[in-house]
Amino acid sequence: MFILPMMIAPVVVGLMWRYMYHPTVGTFNRFLDSIGLPRVDWLGDYALTSVIIADIWQWTPFIFILSLAALQSLPRSALEAARIDGATAWQQIIHIKLPLMMPVLIVTALLRLIDAFKVLEVILVMTEGGPGLSTEILALRISRTATEFRELGVAAAMSNYLLILLLLLTVGMFAFNRWQEARAARLNALVEEES
């Protein structure tokens, strides 16, 4: 049940959230009516926030699964050494768990960042890029340039720009990940020396 949102097709996710955000019969406006608050035009006034919430809902299980795997793979010796040294629960989280989990968290963030540039279907179904251009992302602009405006050369150039942007982000995050892995290795070495 927990990973069910990940398995739903993006078009279905967009339709589902579009109906929940509907101004008259949507779930959220019915709830606001029931507690005496005015209705909200979710896909008008808060379109970008609404799309972001739908995307977060769909992909949060992915983040949790990878984070749980990273948490479960932490070396017990490091946690035991921290407990013996008198570290509080918060100190263990900040100084032991997070630094050791950081390489996995960085790769997870990188995967989600790359995937966030491809949220085309959900946006098309929910808002079609509107109102105005408030929810238009680069992938949607590339699609419209190629299909509606028939400017294939411009769309190809924009696709190359997106590729270069994602490549730079990936290289930057991998460099940061290597730095974090070296830091985690030094931390493990210190813990093993103390043991």
Side-chain angles (χ1 to χ4, degrees):
M1 290 299 292
F2 182 69
I3 63 170
L4 186 63
M6 280 180 12
M7 296 185 288
I8 299 174
V11 172
V12 176
V13 170
L15 283 172
M16 184 176 70
W17 281 89
R18 183 175 166 187
Y19 290 132
M20 287 195 301
Y21 287 133
H22 194 274
T24 55
V25 296
T27 309
F28 297 120
N29 279 330
R30 283 188 176 187
F31 174 73
L32 292 175
D33 280 344
S34 69
I35 60 173
L37 292 174
R39 293 174 181 250
V40 175
D41 184 11
W42 296 103
L43 296 178
D45 298 334
Y46 304 103
L48 184 60
T49 305
S50 300
V51 169
I52 290 170
I53 289 170
D55 186 59
I56 288 172
W57 174 82
Q58 184 178 16
W59 292 106
T60 297
F62 175 71
I63 303 296
F64 281 167
I65 288 169
L66 292 180
S67 299
L68 180 63
L71 188 62
Q72 289 177 340
S73 69
L74 293 178
R76 298 268 184 235
S77 59
L79 299 174
E80 289 174 16
R83 265 187 245 123
I84 290 171
D85 288 343
T88 64
W90 281 109
Q91 289 172 334
Q92 289 178 28
I93 290 171
I94 293 170
H95 299 292
I96 305 293
K97 292 179 182 179
L98 279 179
L100 292 175
M101 290 174 58
M102 196 56 68
V104 174
L105 295 177
I106 289 171
V107 170
T108 303
L110 177 64
L111 291 172
R112 277 303 299 138
L113 180 68
I114 291 171
D115 197 45
F117 280 93
K118 306 182 310 175
V119 186
L120 181 65
E121 298 91 354
V122 174
I123 292 175
L124 272 175
V125 171
M126 285 179 69
T127 65
E128 296 179 18
L133 300 175
S134 64
T135 60
E136 185 170 275
I137 60 171
L138 189 54
L140 182 56
R141 172 58 68 171
I142 292 169
S143 172
R144 283 190 174 157
T145 302
T147 57
E148 291 177 23
F149 307 131
R150 304 275 188 224
E151 296 179 1
L152 299 179
V154 175
M158 291 168 68
S159 297
N160 288 332
Y161 170 73
L162 179 61
L163 175 68
I164 291 169
L165 177 68
L166 290 176
L167 185 64
L168 289 174
L169 287 170
T170 302
V171 167
M173 290 188 83
F174 273 123
F176 183 72
N177 192 20
R178 283 194 179 173
W179 177 75
Q180 285 292 333
E181 284 176 346
R183 185 174 171 218
R186 286 193 305 269
L187 181 64
N188 274 338
L190 286 174
V191 168
E192 288 175 6
E193 284 177 11
E194 289 180 8
S195 299

